[in-house]
């Protein structure tokens, strides 16, 4: 069955390695690339990426030895399941496995780090050894699951990669930075409402909202949550669902598939998933009880 191409990604399938390794890759609007790779029980992969940084998460591995080389650094410890590693760009990578493995990799360009006030090079203060970070792991897994299911949204993609870049680079808070002002917050909320009313399938990007507020992406995301109690993505999703509830009450004969399209969701299934996540019930049940 062909995988659905989610909003905010372009989808491709590729093969790599010497023994039938394969991965699915999704390209983000920023140029970042998300990959889910599977290596057979005996396999090898060699190559390089030209991004500023790659973040790797080990999802599964069978018994056996794994050898990892990055440039001139040989025989690095392999990650255990649930651990992550980093690799720099423009560097030869080699990976040999005697035991099946499944790994998620996100390669990020320098521009993503610049947007959050950091540098990719700052991330390598962690070194090249495997590390654990539950927050990074959770966001990377959700980004991958949304891409694979076709249920992602552009605003979420922007927010997720900004969070990952900011967390990896850990930029220091700029001195004198003030919280989101009431006027700036009003501009942002008005822009969201206008977008949902006029172009529901194209909500404003996180960068566009941050520009309206006069803040970096990472600073805006933190300030918006402090001001509203929600992330920008969660706020937009909730407002879309509230609009859906009004339409379900006011137009009871409108097919759910048409309603989903009118609200900017990819399809009825995508709409139903989001509706249930926010309200705890399905659109059909909500309509019957309205």
């Amino acid at each position: 069955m062909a995988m659905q191409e989610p909003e905010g990604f372009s989808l491709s399938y590729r093969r790599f390695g010497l023994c039938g390794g394969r991965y699915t890759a999704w390209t983000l609007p920023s140029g970042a690339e998300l990959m889910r790779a599977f290596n057979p029980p005996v396999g090898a992969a060699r190559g390089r990426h030209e991004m500023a940084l790659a973040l790797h998460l080990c999802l599964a591995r069978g018994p056996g030895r794994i050898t990892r080389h990055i440039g001139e650094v040989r025989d690095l410890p392999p990650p255990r399941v649930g651990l992550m590693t980093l690799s720099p760009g423009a560097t030869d990578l080699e990976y040999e496995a005697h035991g099946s493995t499944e790994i998620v990799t996100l390669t990020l360009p320098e521009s993503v780090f610049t947007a959050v006030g950091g540098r990719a090079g700052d991330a390598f203060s962690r070194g090249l050894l495997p590390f654990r970070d539950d927050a990074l792991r959770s966001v990377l897994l959700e980004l991958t699951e949304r891409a694979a299911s076709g249920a992602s949204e552009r605003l979420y993609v922007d927010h997720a990669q900004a969070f990952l870049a900011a967390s990896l680079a850990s930029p220091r808070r700029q001195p004198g930075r003030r919280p989101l002002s009431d006027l700036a917050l009003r501009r942002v909320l008005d822009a969201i409402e206008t977008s949902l009313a006029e172009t529901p399938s194209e909500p404003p990007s996180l960068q566009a909202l941050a520009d309206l507020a006069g803040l970096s992406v990472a600073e805006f995301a933190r300030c918006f949550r402090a001001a509203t109690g929600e992330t920008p993505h969660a706020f937009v999703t909730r407002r879309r669902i509230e609009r859906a509830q009004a339409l379900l009450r006011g137009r009871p004969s409108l097919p759910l598939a048409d309603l989903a399209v009118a609200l900017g969701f990819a399809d009825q299934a995508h709409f139903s998933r989001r509706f249930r996540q926010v309200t705890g019930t399905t659109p059909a049940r909500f309509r019957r009880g309205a």
Side-chain angles (χ1 to χ4, degrees), residues 9-290:
F9 295 89
S10 58
L11 176 64
S12 63
Y13 300 92
R14 305 179 188 176
R15 301 183 71 82
F16 69 93
L18 305 179
C19 302
R22 63 185 184 275
Y23 66 81
T24 304
W26 299 271
T27 302
L28 283 63
S30 65
E33 191 168 56
L34 178 67
M35 294 162 279
R36 189 165 191 162
F38 172 78
N39 255 340
V42 178
R46 297 183 179 88
R48 59 193 286 143
H49 67 86
E50 300 302 327
M51 298 287 186
L53 172 150
L55 173 65
H56 313 273
L57 168 63
C58 182
L59 294 179
R61 56 171 290 192
R65 179 175 56 86
I66 297 177
T67 305
R68 192 166 60 101
H69 312 300
I70 299 179
E72 299 300 318
V73 184
R74 315 297 292 177
D75 298 320
L76 284 161
R80 299 190 304 275
V81 173
L83 296 189
M84 289 173 284
T85 56
L86 298 173
S87 62
T91 304
D92 292 328
L93 309 175
E94 297 180 36
Y95 188 86
E96 298 178 10
H98 298 269
S100 59
T101 59
E102 187 176 3
I103 293 177
V104 167
T105 294
L106 178 67
T107 57
L108 293 168
E110 187 67 46
S111 59
V112 174
F113 291 91
T114 301
V116 298
R119 299 180 307 152
D122 296 336
F124 290 100
S125 60
R126 298 172 182 263
L128 298 176
L129 299 179
F131 64 92
R132 178 180 296 278
D133 187 311
D134 291 337
L136 287 177
R137 177 179 178 274
S138 176
V139 172
L140 185 56
L141 279 177
E142 183 170 0
L143 186 63
T144 306
E145 289 166 2
R146 285 173 178 253
S149 68
S152 188
E153 296 158 353
R154 173 65 184 268
L155 188 63
Y156 175 79
V157 173
D158 290 345
H159 186 265
Q161 70 175 2
F163 172 82
L164 291 167
S167 298
L168 287 168
S170 299
R172 294 182 179 178
R173 188 180 181 91
Q174 297 181 18
R177 177 71 78 187
R178 292 177 296 178
L180 190 61
S181 69
D182 291 343
L183 180 60
L185 179 61
R186 185 71 265 159
R187 284 199 301 267
V188 168
L189 297 181
D190 287 346
I192 291 173
E193 294 300 327
T194 299
S195 173
L196 291 177
E198 297 179 358
T199 56
S201 62
E202 298 179 5
S205 69
L206 196 63
Q207 182 67 64
L209 295 176
D211 289 345
L212 274 176
L215 299 172
S216 71
V217 169
E219 194 74 21
F220 168 72
R222 287 193 293 268
C223 291
F224 186 92
R225 184 164 191 168
T228 67
E230 296 176 290
T231 66
H233 175 259
F235 180 88
V236 170
T237 298
R238 179 175 60 78
R239 289 296 298 127
R240 291 171 91 179
I241 297 305
E242 287 172 353
R243 285 174 172 268
Q245 289 175 313
L247 285 172
L248 287 168
R249 294 189 190 99
R251 302 181 63 183
S253 62
L254 183 66
L256 291 180
D258 294 344
L259 178 61
V261 172
L263 291 167
F265 291 95
D267 52 35
Q268 183 177 335
H270 181 204
F271 166 55
S272 295
R273 282 195 300 271
R274 289 288 174 267
F275 192 96
R276 186 164 190 168
Q277 285 175 353
V278 173
T279 68
T281 189
T282 65
R285 287 176 181 168
F286 179 87
R287 171 177 273 171
R288 287 195 296 269

